[in-house]
Amino acid sequence: PNPKYPDYYYISNEMYPDYRIMDFIDGGKHYVATTNNGHSSDMLFKFTAQTGKYEGWYVITNKANPNDKLTKESGYYRDIYFYWGPFYEERLWKPVPPCDATATFHTESAVD
């Protein structure tokens, strides 16, 4: 968490740890972008746990633009942005652990 805002976090990338997600405004639309330039409130995010029907899911909001909620609009990979309107399920997010796979091999018969 950020020491000044303990409920807010920077979101960085494992491969590019110097980069953080930010709420980037262009032409009135709020986009998801990344930057490695500075640390500001448009890079701070709060994860609000939901209850009831949506327990285990989170709404992700931005410190600089508190009405902005991270939203996945469709199945198209680029349709992710910040939206300030009413609640919809496409604003719910869930942290999931990395997937580790193991494989085992078994030989049914051997040919000499």
Side-chain angles (χ1 to χ4, degrees), residues 9 14 40 52 58 74 107 110:
Y9 296 84
E14 182 176 5
S40 59
Y58 294 82
S74 74
T107 303

Side-chain angles (χ1 to χ4, degrees), residues 3-45:
K4 189 173 178 182
Y5 305 107
D7 293 338
Y8 288 83
Y9 296 84
Y10 294 109
I11 303 172
S12 64
N13 181 269
E14 182 176 5
M15 185 171 282
Y16 303 99
D18 293 339
Y19 281 82
R20 293 163 301 286
I21 291 177
M22 68 181 295
D23 186 345
F24 177 75
I25 302 170
D26 184 26
K29 188 159 181 165
H30 295 231
Y31 294 96
V32 177
T34 61
T35 184
N36 65 349
N37 187 12
H39 292 80
S40 59
S41 61
D42 59 356
M43 297 176 214
L44 288 170
F45 297 93

Side-chain angles (χ1 to χ4, degrees), residues 51-91:
T51 59
K53 177 180 175 182
Y54 300 112
E55 188 167 344
W57 294 89
Y58 294 82
V59 172
I60 302 172
T61 54
N62 181 257
K63 176 69 178 156
N65 303 293
N67 291 324
D68 282 5
K69 297 158 193 75
L70 186 61
T71 303
K72 179 71 180 119
E73 184 179 45
S74 74
Y76 184 60
Y77 75 98
R78 294 182 75 174
D79 285 343
I80 183 171
Y81 58 93
F82 292 98
Y83 182 69
W84 53 91
F87 174 82
Y88 295 107
E89 289 179 345
E90 57 263 9
R91 297 188 186 160

Side-chain angles (χ1 to χ4, degrees), residues 99-103:
C99 179
D100 290 328
T102 57

